[in-house]
Amino acid sequence: MSPTPTPTGRAAPMAPDDRRSAIIDAVLPLVGEFGLDVTSRELADAAGIAEGTLFRAFGDKLTLIGAVAVEGLHRASGPVETRAELAAIDREAPLEERLERVIELGRRRMTDVMRWMGVLRALHHRTGARDQVEPGHVQDFRAQLAQQREQQREATVAGLIGVLQPDEHRLRVPIEVAVALVEASIAGTHARVDHLLPAPSPRVVADALVHGIAKDRGEKHVPAATTTTNTASNAPSENPPGAATPRTPHPQEP
């Protein structure tokens, strides 16, 4: 983070807002990895500045971490970025590959959102703010974030429809239902509370979405024991009395 040299050869001082933005960009990966456990020394080293400069720009470490988490959450919820990522998926690729890419992108964004929300929650508890009435700027931030998330949701739906449309003629459900199923498969990765099983890979989920999880393609198998005879029918039986009813072999039997 080096200031631009002036014609005299001396570095021009950065405007306060520009310096804060540059610091946030430099330390964002570090805060994302370590959260509140990151040290002031590590933050200053990542930004390439002295700790004193860090404190002059933000006041203290927790204020800096809060600013970084807010920026990270905004980036993870960006509708413009979401729209661009989904638009960049090759529409000529097989449907399975397109959905695999969608799931990869969706999981990454969900991971980022959960990470930054976790940092903000930890910061909220560390500062004791949970016992206080939220100040106006925090309420404004929540409202702005909710609006941004709604815009991202709209961008996601439009993008997924675009990804699915080349194969809309193959879908067994309306395209809006297919979009909802894709979204649910992404959200389910992070909605789990038991963690009993690892999340399937994006490729496995994409294949299951396209081809289903059953091999019989929905054909119903009625066990012989539950089959009833239509006594009202006068049609002769194909089998003589007392003869065993032929059994339909299982597809996997020899």
Side-chain angles (χ1 to χ4, degrees):
M1 188 180 64
S2 302
T4 303
T6 64
T8 62
R10 298 181 61 185
M14 297 179 67
D17 288 344
D18 292 339
R19 179 174 292 279
R20 281 192 288 268
S21 295
I23 292 174
I24 288 173
D25 283 339
V27 305
L28 193 143
L30 195 63
V31 176
E33 182 176 358
F34 297 105
L36 272 62
D37 293 331
V38 66
T39 67
S40 299
R41 179 72 266 166
E42 290 170 334
L43 292 169
D45 289 344
I49 58 177
E51 287 186 73
T53 305
L54 198 74
F55 294 140
R56 283 193 296 273
F58 289 94
D60 56 56
K61 186 187 82 168
L62 294 183
T63 300
L64 169 58
I65 290 177
V68 171
V70 167
E71 178 62 22
L73 193 54
H74 272 301
R75 294 185 185 185
S77 305
V80 175
E81 294 81 359
T82 298
R83 188 178 295 108
E85 287 179 343
L86 293 175
I89 296 176
D90 184 5
R91 300 301 193 261
E92 296 184 1
L95 179 58
E96 295 87 345
E97 292 182 13
R98 278 178 272 148
L99 286 180
E100 180 182 355
R101 181 59 179 154
V102 165
I103 294 167
E104 288 173 347
L105 293 171
R107 285 185 177 182
R108 192 196 70 201
R109 285 198 171 273
M110 284 287 295
T111 297
D112 288 345
V113 167
M114 298 300 290
R115 175 188 298 116
W116 296 119
M117 288 183 65
V119 173
L120 288 173
R121 189 176 299 111
L123 187 63
H124 190 69
H125 283 264
R126 176 73 63 87
T127 60
R130 65 185 184 277
D131 300 322
Q132 303 173 8
V133 177
E134 289 184 342
H137 72 278
V138 174
Q139 296 177 8
D140 290 343
F141 166 71
R142 289 182 180 275
Q144 293 170 6
L145 183 61
Q147 183 179 16
Q148 182 175 338
R149 292 285 290 169
E150 180 58 31
Q151 292 171 351
Q152 187 195 35
R153 158 77 177 152
E154 294 172 358
T156 299
V157 170
L160 289 179
I161 289 176
V163 168
L164 293 169
Q165 273 180 336
D167 287 88
E168 186 173 5
H169 62 284
R170 296 175 54 198
L171 302 180
R172 295 178 54 246
V173 297
I175 196 167
E176 294 80 8
V177 175
V179 167
L181 291 172
V182 174
E183 288 188 306
S185 70
I186 295 171
T189 303
H190 297 275
R192 301 167 61 86
V193 294
D194 49 18
H195 299 290
L196 295 179
L197 294 173
S201 72
R203 177 170 297 183
V204 169
V205 176
D207 183 78
L209 284 171
V210 175
H211 300 291
I213 60 173
K215 291 183 178 180
D216 58 12
R217 303 301 184 198
E219 296 176 2
K220 294 182 178 179
H221 172 67
V222 181
T226 62
T227 304
T228 57
T229 303
N230 185 357
T231 56
S233 173
N234 294 322
S237 172
E238 295 181 358
N239 302 307
T245 301
R247 182 177 66 87
T248 302
H250 190 278
Q252 296 183 356
E253 291 181 356

